[in-house]
Amino acid sequence: MMFIRDNHLHTHHSYDSDANFTDYLTHFDGEIVTTEHYDLSNPYTKQDDVPDYESYSHEVEKLNLKYGNRIKRGIEIGYYQPRESDILDFLDGKDYDLKLLSVHHNGVNDYLDDEVAEMDKANIIQEYLDKLEYAVGRVDADVLAHFDYGFRLFDVTVDELKAYENQLKRIFKKMIANDLAFELNSKSMYLYHHEGLYRYVLALVKDLGCRKYSIGSDGHKLEHFRLNFDKIQELLREFEITEDMII
Ligand SMILES: [Zn+2]
Ligand SMILES: [Zn+2]
């Protein structure tokens, strides 16, 4: 069985998590990497949510002495075009082991806001995919996170998503050209019931020649750490995604 690191994980360094590194470290023997939320102009909190680089690095360093260097440092960059120069300034000179690229909001709503669920599904999907397409390549990152974040709140069938196939292909071509890994987000797949969409898109990205994949739970608490990674292992076998393709 191949070893897969959970490449999408949050702690109290993220605005929406209370988890401690030790919650994960004491329930798992392998390496962990946390990808803390960096979301400017966050409409959900009405502020800039920025993980404190100094205190984050300091805590990781301290725990690495105790836990055998099992912690890597990461960030989840919430791309928001009007703040692009601030994002680039923040990242400049900082050293992360793993950087996720995400689009979480449109300046008015985070795509998980209750109100969004009442909005027109097709409009939201289109708006979100446009933002995602633009975001890819604008900042340096390793992984394109949760391609479906913008429509997590919706039941979307594979046929419905197929209407966006040309654009999805453009996004994933751009992802590959920018050397980003495609993320299998187990929270999207199993808590938001988007496994079918991931299967459809996985066939697309494979077809486009993607050789880089990342597996993440998007856990904000122990309960979701490495969520359904056994199922994901099966899926990887089914799609012939081998260990050398997983970052
Ligand atoms: Zn996210
Ligand atoms: Zn996340």
Side-chain angles (χ1 to χ4, degrees):
M1 191 164 176
M2 65 173 107
F3 169 76
I4 295 173
R5 187 176 69 184
D6 188 337
N7 273 348
H8 192 150
L9 192 60
H10 298 272
T11 70
H12 66 95
H13 291 278
S14 295
Y15 73 88
D16 56 354
S17 171
D18 297 317
N20 285 305
F21 292 97
T22 50
D23 299 342
Y24 307 125
L25 288 165
T26 55
H27 284 85
F28 178 67
D29 290 333
E31 199 171 85
I32 68 163
V33 59
T34 73
T35 49
E36 309 295 351
H37 276 300
Y38 174 75
D39 284 290
L40 299 187
S41 305
N42 186 350
Y44 183 72
T45 58
K46 316 245 184 292
Q47 62 178 19
D48 289 343
D49 290 303
V50 178
D52 185 323
Y53 186 70
E54 293 306 317
S55 78
Y56 176 67
S57 301
H58 184 249
E59 190 176 356
V60 168
E61 208 177 304
K62 213 176 59 184
L63 287 167
N64 267 334
L65 293 174
K66 192 173 167 189
Y67 290 93
N69 291 318
R70 288 201 285 131
I71 315 161
K72 298 284 183 235
R73 296 185 304 180
I75 189 163
E76 179 177 6
I77 305 159
Y79 182 80
Y80 179 53
Q81 190 279 327
R83 303 292 304 276
E84 182 181 288
S85 64
D86 295 317
I87 297 171
L88 293 172
D89 284 350
F90 175 82
L91 292 171
D92 189 37
K94 292 190 176 66
D95 182 28
Y96 291 103
D97 299 299
L98 188 72
K99 291 190 268 196
L100 311 186
L101 173 67
S102 299
V103 171
H104 287 134
H105 71 78
N106 59 14
V108 180
N109 288 110
D110 184 287
Y111 289 105
L112 288 188
D113 285 352
D114 293 341
E115 294 150 73
V116 174
E118 311 301 319
M119 293 176 187
D120 182 74
K121 176 162 62 172
N123 283 347
I124 293 291
I125 295 177
Q126 189 59 66
E127 176 195 284
Y128 169 75
L129 290 180
D130 289 346
K131 290 189 189 308
L132 194 63
E133 183 173 359
Y134 185 83
V136 175
R138 299 300 298 178
V139 299
D140 179 60
D142 306 296
V143 178
L144 180 62
H146 44 41
F147 84 93
D148 63 324
Y149 187 86
F151 44 98
R152 255 187 183 174
L153 293 183
F154 297 106
D155 293 325
V156 180
T157 66
V158 170
D159 278 337
E160 281 173 311
L161 195 60
K162 272 186 184 160
Y164 306 88
E165 188 165 291
N166 287 335
Q167 186 169 20
L168 288 167
K169 281 185 180 168
R170 287 202 306 272
I171 293 168
F172 297 130
K173 272 186 197 161
K174 217 172 162 191
M175 171 190 85
I176 294 166
N178 283 278
D179 204 27
L180 290 167
F182 176 74
E183 182 187 76
L184 290 155
N185 187 292
S186 61
K187 198 182 206 171
S188 282
M189 291 166 76
Y190 301 111
L191 296 185
Y192 291 94
H193 313 294
H194 280 183
E195 186 187 348
L197 303 184
Y198 273 79
R199 285 174 165 274
Y200 158 63
V201 159
L202 211 45
L204 280 187
V205 297
K206 262 204 79 174
D207 220 43
L208 293 169
C210 180
R211 305 263 314 160
K212 222 172 153 184
Y213 299 86
S214 182
I215 322 302
S217 66
D218 208 350
H220 288 63
K221 51 183 171 184
L222 177 61
E223 217 186 314
H224 294 158
F225 176 48
R226 305 180 67 78
L227 178 76
N228 289 353
F229 270 33
D230 49 342
K231 281 193 189 174
I232 296 209
Q233 296 262 18
E234 280 170 37
L235 197 73
L236 293 173
R237 263 192 298 274
E238 188 187 322
F239 281 84
E240 294 172 333
I241 294 166
T242 48
E243 203 166 353
D244 56 300
M245 298 186 210
I246 295 169
I247 67 160

PDB file of all heavy atoms in Angstrom, residues 201-229:
ATOM      1  N   VAL A 201     -13.986  14.302 -13.843  1.00  0.00           N
ATOM      2  CA  VAL A 201     -12.890  15.237 -14.087  1.00  0.00           C
ATOM      3  C   VAL A 201     -11.533  14.525 -14.093  1.00  0.00           C
ATOM      4  O   VAL A 201     -10.620  14.901 -14.834  1.00  0.00           O
ATOM      5  CB  VAL A 201     -12.968  16.374 -13.049  1.00  0.00           C
ATOM      6  CG1 VAL A 201     -11.651  17.086 -12.888  1.00  0.00           C
ATOM      7  CG2 VAL A 201     -14.042  17.377 -13.465  1.00  0.00           C
ATOM      8  N   LEU A 202     -11.424  13.491 -13.281  1.00  0.00           N
ATOM      9  CA  LEU A 202     -10.182  12.709 -13.244  1.00  0.00           C
ATOM     10  C   LEU A 202      -9.890  12.098 -14.613  1.00  0.00           C
ATOM     11  O   LEU A 202      -8.748  12.085 -15.082  1.00  0.00           O
ATOM     12  CB  LEU A 202     -10.328  11.611 -12.187  1.00  0.00           C
ATOM     13  CG  LEU A 202      -9.093  11.135 -11.434  1.00  0.00           C
ATOM     14  CD1 LEU A 202      -8.229  12.284 -10.966  1.00  0.00           C
ATOM     15  CD2 LEU A 202      -9.525  10.296 -10.233  1.00  0.00           C
ATOM     16  N   ALA A 203     -10.929  11.605 -15.275  1.00  0.00           N
ATOM     17  CA  ALA A 203     -10.764  11.070 -16.629  1.00  0.00           C
ATOM     18  C   ALA A 203     -10.302  12.174 -17.581  1.00  0.00           C
ATOM     19  O   ALA A 203      -9.425  11.954 -18.418  1.00  0.00           O
ATOM     20  CB  ALA A 203     -12.072  10.449 -17.110  1.00  0.00           C
ATOM     21  N   LEU A 204     -10.867  13.375 -17.410  1.00  0.00           N
ATOM     22  CA  LEU A 204     -10.464  14.517 -18.243  1.00  0.00           C
ATOM     23  C   LEU A 204      -8.988  14.865 -18.043  1.00  0.00           C
ATOM     24  O   LEU A 204      -8.236  14.999 -19.016  1.00  0.00           O
ATOM     25  CB  LEU A 204     -11.275  15.772 -17.887  1.00  0.00           C
ATOM     26  CG  LEU A 204     -12.681  15.982 -18.424  1.00  0.00           C
ATOM     27  CD1 LEU A 204     -13.152  17.388 -18.042  1.00  0.00           C
ATOM     28  CD2 LEU A 204     -12.720  15.807 -19.932  1.00  0.00           C
ATOM     29  N   VAL A 205      -8.586  15.023 -16.794  1.00  0.00           N
ATOM     30  CA  VAL A 205      -7.212  15.465 -16.536  1.00  0.00           C
ATOM     31  C   VAL A 205      -6.202  14.385 -16.942  1.00  0.00           C
ATOM     32  O   VAL A 205      -5.124  14.696 -17.451  1.00  0.00           O
ATOM     33  CB  VAL A 205      -6.951  15.933 -15.070  1.00  0.00           C
ATOM     34  CG1 VAL A 205      -7.786  17.141 -14.729  1.00  0.00           C
ATOM     35  CG2 VAL A 205      -7.162  14.853 -14.058  1.00  0.00           C
ATOM     36  N   LYS A 206      -6.581  13.133 -16.765  1.00  0.00           N
ATOM     37  CA  LYS A 206      -5.696  12.038 -17.209  1.00  0.00           C
ATOM     38  C   LYS A 206      -5.504  12.106 -18.715  1.00  0.00           C
ATOM     39  O   LYS A 206      -4.402  11.969 -19.234  1.00  0.00           O
ATOM     40  CB  LYS A 206      -6.317  10.686 -16.832  1.00  0.00           C
ATOM     41  CG  LYS A 206      -5.766  10.113 -15.561  1.00  0.00           C
ATOM     42  CD  LYS A 206      -5.937   8.592 -15.512  1.00  0.00           C
ATOM     43  CE  LYS A 206      -4.874   7.868 -16.339  1.00  0.00           C
ATOM     44  NZ  LYS A 206      -4.970   6.390 -16.170  1.00  0.00           N
ATOM     45  N   ASP A 207      -6.621  12.313 -19.399  1.00  0.00           N
ATOM     46  CA  ASP A 207      -6.629  12.421 -20.851  1.00  0.00           C
ATOM     47  C   ASP A 207      -5.754  13.574 -21.345  1.00  0.00           C
ATOM     48  O   ASP A 207      -5.144  13.501 -22.403  1.00  0.00           O
ATOM     49  CB  ASP A 207      -8.082  12.656 -21.292  1.00  0.00           C
ATOM     50  CG  ASP A 207      -8.412  11.884 -22.534  1.00  0.00           C
ATOM     51  OD1 ASP A 207      -8.005  10.707 -22.605  1.00  0.00           O
ATOM     52  OD2 ASP A 207      -9.052  12.468 -23.429  1.00  0.00           O
ATOM     53  N   LEU A 208      -5.728  14.651 -20.550  1.00  0.00           N
ATOM     54  CA  LEU A 208      -4.921  15.821 -20.916  1.00  0.00           C
ATOM     55  C   LEU A 208      -3.439  15.609 -20.588  1.00  0.00           C
ATOM     56  O   LEU A 208      -2.608  16.472 -20.850  1.00  0.00           O
ATOM     57  CB  LEU A 208      -5.447  17.070 -20.201  1.00  0.00           C
ATOM     58  CG  LEU A 208      -6.840  17.552 -20.633  1.00  0.00           C
ATOM     59  CD1 LEU A 208      -7.362  18.621 -19.674  1.00  0.00           C
ATOM     60  CD2 LEU A 208      -6.822  18.101 -22.055  1.00  0.00           C
ATOM     61  N   GLY A 209      -3.146  14.478 -19.956  1.00  0.00           N
ATOM     62  CA  GLY A 209      -1.743  14.156 -19.684  1.00  0.00           C
ATOM     63  C   GLY A 209      -1.240  14.568 -18.316  1.00  0.00           C
ATOM     64  O   GLY A 209      -0.030  14.661 -18.102  1.00  0.00           O
ATOM     65  N   CYS A 210      -2.152  14.807 -17.384  1.00  0.00           N
ATOM     66  CA  CYS A 210      -1.730  15.197 -16.031  1.00  0.00           C
ATOM     67  C   CYS A 210      -0.955  14.059 -15.362  1.00  0.00           C
ATOM     68  O   CYS A 210      -1.410  12.920 -15.332  1.00  0.00           O
ATOM     69  CB  CYS A 210      -2.947  15.570 -15.178  1.00  0.00           C
ATOM     70  SG  CYS A 210      -2.503  16.063 -13.507  1.00  0.00           S
ATOM     71  N   ARG A 211       0.219  14.402 -14.828  1.00  0.00           N
ATOM     72  CA  ARG A 211       1.068  13.405 -14.162  1.00  0.00           C
ATOM     73  C   ARG A 211       1.342  13.802 -12.712  1.00  0.00           C
ATOM     74  O   ARG A 211       2.270  13.299 -12.083  1.00  0.00           O
ATOM     75  CB  ARG A 211       2.416  13.269 -14.884  1.00  0.00           C
ATOM     76  CG  ARG A 211       2.341  12.962 -16.358  1.00  0.00           C
ATOM     77  CD  ARG A 211       2.481  11.494 -16.691  1.00  0.00           C
ATOM     78  NE  ARG A 211       3.580  10.827 -15.996  1.00  0.00           N
ATOM     79  CZ  ARG A 211       3.652   9.506 -15.827  1.00  0.00           C
ATOM     80  NH1 ARG A 211       2.676   8.744 -16.282  1.00  0.00           N
ATOM     81  NH2 ARG A 211       4.681   8.954 -15.215  1.00  0.00           N
ATOM     82  N   LYS A 212       0.520  14.712 -12.194  1.00  0.00           N
ATOM     83  CA  LYS A 212       0.776  15.217 -10.842  1.00  0.00           C
ATOM     84  C   LYS A 212      -0.549  15.324 -10.082  1.00  0.00           C
ATOM     85  O   LYS A 212      -1.453  16.060 -10.516  1.00  0.00           O
ATOM     86  CB  LYS A 212       1.430  16.603 -10.962  1.00  0.00           C
ATOM     87  CG  LYS A 212       2.566  16.844 -10.007  1.00  0.00           C
ATOM     88  CD  LYS A 212       3.254  18.153 -10.331  1.00  0.00           C
ATOM     89  CE  LYS A 212       3.893  18.704  -9.076  1.00  0.00           C
ATOM     90  NZ  LYS A 212       4.498  20.023  -9.318  1.00  0.00           N
ATOM     91  N   TYR A 213      -0.641  14.600  -8.978  1.00  0.00           N
ATOM     92  CA  TYR A 213      -1.880  14.575  -8.195  1.00  0.00           C
ATOM     93  C   TYR A 213      -1.568  14.805  -6.721  1.00  0.00           C
ATOM     94  O   TYR A 213      -0.474  14.467  -6.245  1.00  0.00           O
ATOM     95  CB  TYR A 213      -2.590  13.226  -8.384  1.00  0.00           C
ATOM     96  CG  TYR A 213      -2.967  12.973  -9.826  1.00  0.00           C
ATOM     97  CD1 TYR A 213      -2.062  12.406 -10.718  1.00  0.00           C
ATOM     98  CD2 TYR A 213      -4.217  13.354 -10.309  1.00  0.00           C
ATOM     99  CE1 TYR A 213      -2.388  12.207 -12.053  1.00  0.00           C
ATOM    100  CE2 TYR A 213      -4.546  13.162 -11.646  1.00  0.00           C
ATOM    101  CZ  TYR A 213      -3.622  12.584 -12.513  1.00  0.00           C
ATOM    102  OH  TYR A 213      -3.953  12.407 -13.835  1.00  0.00           O
ATOM    103  N   SER A 214      -2.542  15.352  -6.021  1.00  0.00           N
ATOM    104  CA  SER A 214      -2.387  15.615  -4.597  1.00  0.00           C
ATOM    105  C   SER A 214      -3.668  15.168  -3.901  1.00  0.00           C
ATOM    106  O   SER A 214      -4.767  15.405  -4.406  1.00  0.00           O
ATOM    107  CB  SER A 214      -2.156  17.124  -4.390  1.00  0.00           C
ATOM    108  OG  SER A 214      -1.963  17.412  -3.027  1.00  0.00           O
ATOM    109  N   ILE A 215      -3.520  14.518  -2.749  1.00  0.00           N
ATOM    110  CA  ILE A 215      -4.685  14.025  -2.020  1.00  0.00           C
ATOM    111  C   ILE A 215      -4.811  14.804  -0.720  1.00  0.00           C
ATOM    112  O   ILE A 215      -3.852  14.878   0.048  1.00  0.00           O
ATOM    113  CB  ILE A 215      -4.539  12.516  -1.662  1.00  0.00           C
ATOM    114  CG1 ILE A 215      -3.875  11.716  -2.781  1.00  0.00           C
ATOM    115  CG2 ILE A 215      -5.885  11.929  -1.238  1.00  0.00           C
ATOM    116  CD1 ILE A 215      -4.537  11.746  -4.115  1.00  0.00           C
ATOM    117  N   GLY A 216      -5.979  15.378  -0.488  1.00  0.00           N
ATOM    118  CA  GLY A 216      -6.153  16.156   0.733  1.00  0.00           C
ATOM    119  C   GLY A 216      -7.538  15.984   1.326  1.00  0.00           C
ATOM    120  O   GLY A 216      -8.525  15.856   0.598  1.00  0.00           O
ATOM    121  N   SER A 217      -7.593  15.979   2.650  1.00  0.00           N
ATOM    122  CA  SER A 217      -8.897  15.834   3.312  1.00  0.00           C
ATOM    123  C   SER A 217      -9.607  17.175   3.430  1.00  0.00           C
ATOM    124  O   SER A 217     -10.818  17.222   3.522  1.00  0.00           O
ATOM    125  CB  SER A 217      -8.711  15.255   4.716  1.00  0.00           C
ATOM    126  OG  SER A 217      -8.012  16.179   5.542  1.00  0.00           O
ATOM    127  N   ASP A 218      -8.819  18.274   3.474  1.00  0.00           N
ATOM    128  CA  ASP A 218      -9.380  19.583   3.797  1.00  0.00           C
ATOM    129  C   ASP A 218      -9.910  19.569   5.223  1.00  0.00           C
ATOM    130  O   ASP A 218     -10.873  20.267   5.546  1.00  0.00           O
ATOM    131  CB  ASP A 218     -10.504  19.945   2.805  1.00  0.00           C
ATOM    132  CG  ASP A 218     -10.671  21.439   2.622  1.00  0.00           C
ATOM    133  OD1 ASP A 218     -10.058  22.203   3.383  1.00  0.00           O
ATOM    134  OD2 ASP A 218     -11.438  21.824   1.723  1.00  0.00           O
ATOM    135  N   GLY A 219      -9.276  18.765   6.056  1.00  0.00           N
ATOM    136  CA  GLY A 219      -9.712  18.637   7.444  1.00  0.00           C
ATOM    137  C   GLY A 219      -9.423  19.882   8.262  1.00  0.00           C
ATOM    138  O   GLY A 219      -8.371  20.503   8.133  1.00  0.00           O
ATOM    139  N   HIS A 220     -10.410  20.238   9.091  1.00  0.00           N
ATOM    140  CA  HIS A 220     -10.235  21.335  10.044  1.00  0.00           C
ATOM    141  C   HIS A 220     -10.256  20.795  11.469  1.00  0.00           C
ATOM    142  O   HIS A 220     -10.194  21.545  12.430  1.00  0.00           O
ATOM    143  CB  HIS A 220     -11.331  22.384   9.874  1.00  0.00           C
ATOM    144  CG  HIS A 220     -11.189  23.201   8.624  1.00  0.00           C
ATOM    145  ND1 HIS A 220     -11.252  22.652   7.364  1.00  0.00           N
ATOM    146  CD2 HIS A 220     -10.971  24.534   8.449  1.00  0.00           C
ATOM    147  CE1 HIS A 220     -11.092  23.636   6.461  1.00  0.00           C
ATOM    148  NE2 HIS A 220     -10.926  24.769   7.095  1.00  0.00           N
ATOM    149  N   LYS A 221     -10.406  19.475  11.579  1.00  0.00           N
ATOM    150  CA  LYS A 221     -10.420  18.809  12.883  1.00  0.00           C
ATOM    151  C   LYS A 221     -10.043  17.345  12.682  1.00  0.00           C
ATOM    152  O   LYS A 221     -10.130  16.827  11.555  1.00  0.00           O
ATOM    153  CB  LYS A 221     -11.804  18.916  13.529  1.00  0.00           C
ATOM    154  CG  LYS A 221     -12.934  18.494  12.615  1.00  0.00           C
ATOM    155  CD  LYS A 221     -14.279  18.703  13.294  1.00  0.00           C
ATOM    156  CE  LYS A 221     -15.411  18.497  12.308  1.00  0.00           C
ATOM    157  NZ  LYS A 221     -16.725  18.772  12.866  1.00  0.00           N
ATOM    158  N   LEU A 222      -9.658  16.712  13.783  1.00  0.00           N
ATOM    159  CA  LEU A 222      -9.154  15.337  13.725  1.00  0.00           C
ATOM    160  C   LEU A 222     -10.091  14.383  12.972  1.00  0.00           C
ATOM    161  O   LEU A 222      -9.648  13.551  12.187  1.00  0.00           O
ATOM    162  CB  LEU A 222      -8.910  14.825  15.153  1.00  0.00           C
ATOM    163  CG  LEU A 222      -8.454  13.367  15.269  1.00  0.00           C
ATOM    164  CD1 LEU A 222      -7.130  13.145  14.543  1.00  0.00           C
ATOM    165  CD2 LEU A 222      -8.351  12.962  16.734  1.00  0.00           C
ATOM    166  N   GLU A 223     -11.381  14.532  13.249  1.00  0.00           N
ATOM    167  CA  GLU A 223     -12.402  13.684  12.628  1.00  0.00           C
ATOM    168  C   GLU A 223     -12.290  13.588  11.094  1.00  0.00           C
ATOM    169  O   GLU A 223     -12.668  12.586  10.497  1.00  0.00           O
ATOM    170  CB  GLU A 223     -13.720  14.372  12.957  1.00  0.00           C
ATOM    171  CG  GLU A 223     -14.877  13.567  13.251  1.00  0.00           C
ATOM    172  CD  GLU A 223     -16.117  14.469  13.403  1.00  0.00           C
ATOM    173  OE1 GLU A 223     -16.064  15.525  14.090  1.00  0.00           O
ATOM    174  OE2 GLU A 223     -17.133  14.059  12.820  1.00  0.00           O
ATOM    175  N   HIS A 224     -11.809  14.648  10.476  1.00  0.00           N
ATOM    176  CA  HIS A 224     -11.742  14.670   9.014  1.00  0.00           C
ATOM    177  C   HIS A 224     -10.338  14.428   8.453  1.00  0.00           C
ATOM    178  O   HIS A 224     -10.156  14.387   7.240  1.00  0.00           O
ATOM    179  CB  HIS A 224     -12.271  16.016   8.475  1.00  0.00           C
ATOM    180  CG  HIS A 224     -13.732  16.207   8.742  1.00  0.00           C
ATOM    181  ND1 HIS A 224     -14.328  17.449   8.770  1.00  0.00           N
ATOM    182  CD2 HIS A 224     -14.716  15.306   9.003  1.00  0.00           C
ATOM    183  CE1 HIS A 224     -15.614  17.309   9.043  1.00  0.00           C
ATOM    184  NE2 HIS A 224     -15.878  16.027   9.192  1.00  0.00           N
ATOM    185  N   PHE A 225      -9.371  14.287   9.343  1.00  0.00           N
ATOM    186  CA  PHE A 225      -7.987  14.035   8.931  1.00  0.00           C
ATOM    187  C   PHE A 225      -7.916  12.714   8.165  1.00  0.00           C
ATOM    188  O   PHE A 225      -8.434  11.703   8.625  1.00  0.00           O
ATOM    189  CB  PHE A 225      -7.119  14.000  10.198  1.00  0.00           C
ATOM    190  CG  PHE A 225      -5.666  13.666  10.000  1.00  0.00           C
ATOM    191  CD1 PHE A 225      -4.901  14.298   9.030  1.00  0.00           C
ATOM    192  CD2 PHE A 225      -5.046  12.733  10.831  1.00  0.00           C
ATOM    193  CE1 PHE A 225      -3.542  13.999   8.884  1.00  0.00           C
ATOM    194  CE2 PHE A 225      -3.699  12.430  10.697  1.00  0.00           C
ATOM    195  CZ  PHE A 225      -2.947  13.058   9.719  1.00  0.00           C
ATOM    196  N   ARG A 226      -7.326  12.740   6.958  1.00  0.00           N
ATOM    197  CA  ARG A 226      -7.196  11.551   6.112  1.00  0.00           C
ATOM    198  C   ARG A 226      -8.565  10.893   5.840  1.00  0.00           C
ATOM    199  O   ARG A 226      -8.668   9.676   5.712  1.00  0.00           O
ATOM    200  CB  ARG A 226      -6.222  10.536   6.735  1.00  0.00           C
ATOM    201  CG  ARG A 226      -4.844  11.127   7.033  1.00  0.00           C
ATOM    202  CD  ARG A 226      -3.886  10.121   7.641  1.00  0.00           C
ATOM    203  NE  ARG A 226      -3.547   9.074   6.692  1.00  0.00           N
ATOM    204  CZ  ARG A 226      -2.673   9.202   5.696  1.00  0.00           C
ATOM    205  NH1 ARG A 226      -2.012  10.341   5.542  1.00  0.00           N
ATOM    206  NH2 ARG A 226      -2.431   8.202   4.886  1.00  0.00           N
ATOM    207  N   LEU A 227      -9.574  11.725   5.707  1.00  0.00           N
ATOM    208  CA  LEU A 227     -10.949  11.246   5.515  1.00  0.00           C
ATOM    209  C   LEU A 227     -11.071  10.342   4.277  1.00  0.00           C
ATOM    210  O   LEU A 227     -10.762  10.755   3.154  1.00  0.00           O
ATOM    211  CB  LEU A 227     -11.871  12.460   5.355  1.00  0.00           C
ATOM    212  CG  LEU A 227     -13.357  12.177   5.089  1.00  0.00           C
ATOM    213  CD1 LEU A 227     -14.068  11.745   6.361  1.00  0.00           C
ATOM    214  CD2 LEU A 227     -14.040  13.412   4.513  1.00  0.00           C
ATOM    215  N   ASN A 228     -11.532   9.140   4.505  1.00  0.00           N
ATOM    216  CA  ASN A 228     -11.771   8.171   3.414  1.00  0.00           C
ATOM    217  C   ASN A 228     -10.575   7.966   2.484  1.00  0.00           C
ATOM    218  O   ASN A 228     -10.753   7.736   1.283  1.00  0.00           O
ATOM    219  CB  ASN A 228     -12.999   8.588   2.583  1.00  0.00           C
ATOM    220  CG  ASN A 228     -14.291   8.395   3.357  1.00  0.00           C
ATOM    221  OD1 ASN A 228     -14.297   7.839   4.457  1.00  0.00           O
ATOM    222  ND2 ASN A 228     -15.386   8.842   2.809  1.00  0.00           N
ATOM    223  N   PHE A 229      -9.379   8.032   3.031  1.00  0.00           N
ATOM    224  CA  PHE A 229      -8.196   7.814   2.197  1.00  0.00           C
ATOM    225  C   PHE A 229      -8.143   6.381   1.648  1.00  0.00           C
ATOM    226  O   PHE A 229      -7.525   6.137   0.619  1.00  0.00           O
ATOM    227  CB  PHE A 229      -6.906   8.159   2.972  1.00  0.00           C
ATOM    228  CG  PHE A 229      -6.485   9.597   2.808  1.00  0.00           C
ATOM    229  CD1 PHE A 229      -7.428  10.610   2.664  1.00  0.00           C
ATOM    230  CD2 PHE A 229      -5.145   9.955   2.793  1.00  0.00           C
ATOM    231  CE1 PHE A 229      -7.048  11.939   2.500  1.00  0.00           C
ATOM    232  CE2 PHE A 229      -4.748  11.273   2.618  1.00  0.00           C
ATOM    233  CZ  PHE A 229      -5.693  12.261   2.472  1.00  0.00           C
TER     234      PHE A 229
END
